[in-house]
Amino acid sequence: MTKLDAAASDDLLGSFSQLLWDINQLAQRLPLPDFHPAALARLQRLLAFDCAWWGRSVLIDGRIEEHSRFFYELPETYLADWRSIEHQDVTVERSHREPGQAVIVDMRATTPGLAWLGERHDLSELLCVIHTSPRTRLSDHLSLYRRPGSARPGSARFGERERQLLTHLISHLSIAVDASQIRTLVARRECLESQPHLALAVCDRQGVLHSAERGFSDLLGDEWPDWQGPTLPVHLDEAGYEGARISIQCLPVLDLWLLTVCRLGPLACLSERELVVAQHFGSGLTYKEIAREIAIAPSTVRHHIRSIYQKLDLHDKASVATLLNRSPPG
């Protein structure tokens, strides 16, 4: 190796180290919706590309099932177009044949379907790598695309330098995504009141867990004693879930759900009217006073009190007052 080659190698190593540092800082500083574009913009300074597809998926029967994705300078229509020629995309087979190794694919010189996709979206070449977690079997995949004649400097083709860079980078990017997810969890927790029976988690729209706080599994076990991950035991959407022992709130974050799981208090079994009656009863009001306060008949109050005693397994007003003072509603 000449002195010039050695100097170039040292410069590249220094640039790569700085890239890792910067991406780690972004993961610690940014929530997940902001991390992907910031990390890719930073990567562009070292590895030239025009657009990208970054996602998490699992390979089932030879077909990629996407759990989350981020398109960088690509239209959302790209996914449907790719799906239509997926069976002709040699990238999938080559990437899984060489796991963890970036592969270079000439989109316009492989299959008719991939050539059509390249022509349709003005793309000439892609550089793709897949990293699969041995624990979750989820795969992080990153495809970088170049447009015809757009590479810097001088050539529209990816080379061995770029391939090696992405190969060594992907595991760090996977860890950074996890770190950004955890940061999102932490930021969410800081917005919540301190509650001893609460845990946060991130899952995808198919219900597969990506990360979770300690205690999350225990809370789900309260509702579903036989549950084992990584797929949640119930389908979730914006409405969340209200069960016998826990409630789950769902907050969308890109293509993921941020889950807030709470253990329900003993008062959660009461209806809204029963809770109001219990609060008045526990404060010392008589049946007639409660009836006047909420405009119902005393006999109806008596019916609610009997139901409250039965549901809470209590037998006197003092016990109801004690429980109300100890437990927040729900």
Side-chain angles (χ1 to χ4, degrees):
M1 179 183 294
T2 66
K3 290 184 179 180
L4 187 59
D5 291 336
S9 179
D10 289 343
D11 288 344
L12 180 58
L13 181 59
S15 298
F16 186 75
S17 298
Q18 185 62 52
L19 172 65
L20 294 183
W21 170 265
D22 291 343
I23 286 178
N24 180 65
Q25 292 302 301
L26 291 173
Q28 297 299 325
R29 183 167 51 85
L30 296 178
L32 197 58
D34 301 326
F35 170 71
H36 286 93
L40 288 171
R42 176 60 184 87
L43 176 58
Q44 271 184 320
R45 291 161 51 186
L46 184 61
L47 199 167
F49 61 91
D50 296 294
C51 44
W53 179 0
W54 188 352
R56 280 192 163 175
S57 61
V58 65
L59 189 66
I60 301 177
D61 297 330
R63 177 180 172 86
I64 292 178
E65 296 293 338
E66 189 108 36
H67 293 322
S68 63
R69 72 175 183 277
F70 174 76
F71 283 159
Y72 184 77
E73 301 297 334
L74 278 175
E76 284 298 317
T77 54
Y78 185 82
L79 181 62
D81 290 340
W82 177 80
R83 283 291 188 196
S84 70
I85 61 93
E86 177 183 359
H87 59 289
Q88 294 190 38
D89 188 354
V90 298
T91 312
V92 178
E93 188 273 332
R94 288 183 55 187
S95 296
H96 282 278
R97 190 176 63 212
E98 304 177 71
Q101 297 292 314
V103 299
I104 301 170
V105 175
D106 185 342
M107 298 181 68
R108 303 193 179 191
T110 50
T111 64
L114 207 53
W116 170 84
L117 187 67
E119 290 284 351
R120 182 172 177 81
H121 292 276
D122 192 29
L123 304 172
S124 59
E125 204 174 37
L126 67 86
L127 177 64
C128 178
V129 66
I130 294 177
H131 173 268
T132 302
S133 166
R135 182 173 61 88
T136 65
R137 306 311 301 167
L138 287 172
S139 296
D140 287 277
H141 62 87
L142 178 58
S143 295
L144 307 178
Y145 301 87
R146 282 180 175 173
R147 304 192 188 281
S150 65
R152 299 167 294 275
S155 171
R157 302 191 63 82
F158 287 111
E160 182 62 17
R161 170 185 174 276
E162 289 89 352
R163 195 190 71 79
Q164 289 287 345
L165 280 173
L166 193 58
T167 294
H168 292 295
L169 181 63
I170 186 59
S171 61
H172 297 280
L173 291 175
S174 179
I175 293 171
V177 169
D178 289 338
S180 184
Q181 286 184 342
I182 294 300
R183 188 199 178 284
T184 303
L185 292 180
V186 171
R188 171 67 171 166
R189 176 168 285 285
E190 290 173 350
C191 296
L192 299 169
E193 295 180 1
S194 177
Q195 299 183 45
H197 304 302
L198 178 149
L200 306 177
V202 172
C203 76
D204 55 44
R205 300 301 176 103
Q206 287 72 38
V208 177
L209 282 176
H210 286 212
S211 56
E213 285 188 325
R214 183 178 300 176
F216 177 83
S217 296
D218 292 338
L219 287 173
L220 260 64
D222 288 347
E223 188 82 7
W224 300 282
D226 298 328
W227 174 77
Q228 292 183 337
T231 302
L232 294 174
V234 64
H235 174 72
L236 294 174
D237 54 24
E238 290 89 344
Y241 172 81
E242 194 78 16
R245 295 177 176 86
I246 65 171
S247 68
I248 304 176
Q249 295 180 343
C250 298
L251 179 69
V253 179
L254 294 180
D255 291 325
L256 303 173
W257 291 120
L258 175 58
L259 309 179
T260 303
V261 185
C262 301
R263 179 177 289 127
L264 295 174
L267 301 178
C269 62
L270 302 182
S271 69
E272 185 176 349
R273 176 53 62 89
E274 287 171 345
L275 180 59
V276 172
V277 170
Q279 289 168 334
H280 286 307
F281 188 57
S283 69
L285 297 185
T286 66
Y287 286 13
K288 289 183 178 180
E289 289 170 334
I290 296 172
R292 285 197 303 269
E293 189 71 24
I294 60 177
I296 60 176
S299 60
T300 304
V301 174
R302 188 173 292 106
H303 169 77
H304 285 316
I305 295 297
R306 283 198 299 267
S307 178
I308 290 166
Y309 280 156
Q310 182 179 11
K311 288 183 177 180
L312 300 180
D313 194 24
L314 299 175
H315 308 285
D316 55 69
K317 181 184 293 188
S319 298
V320 174
T322 299
L323 183 59
L324 285 166
N325 290 329
R326 190 174 69 238
S327 305

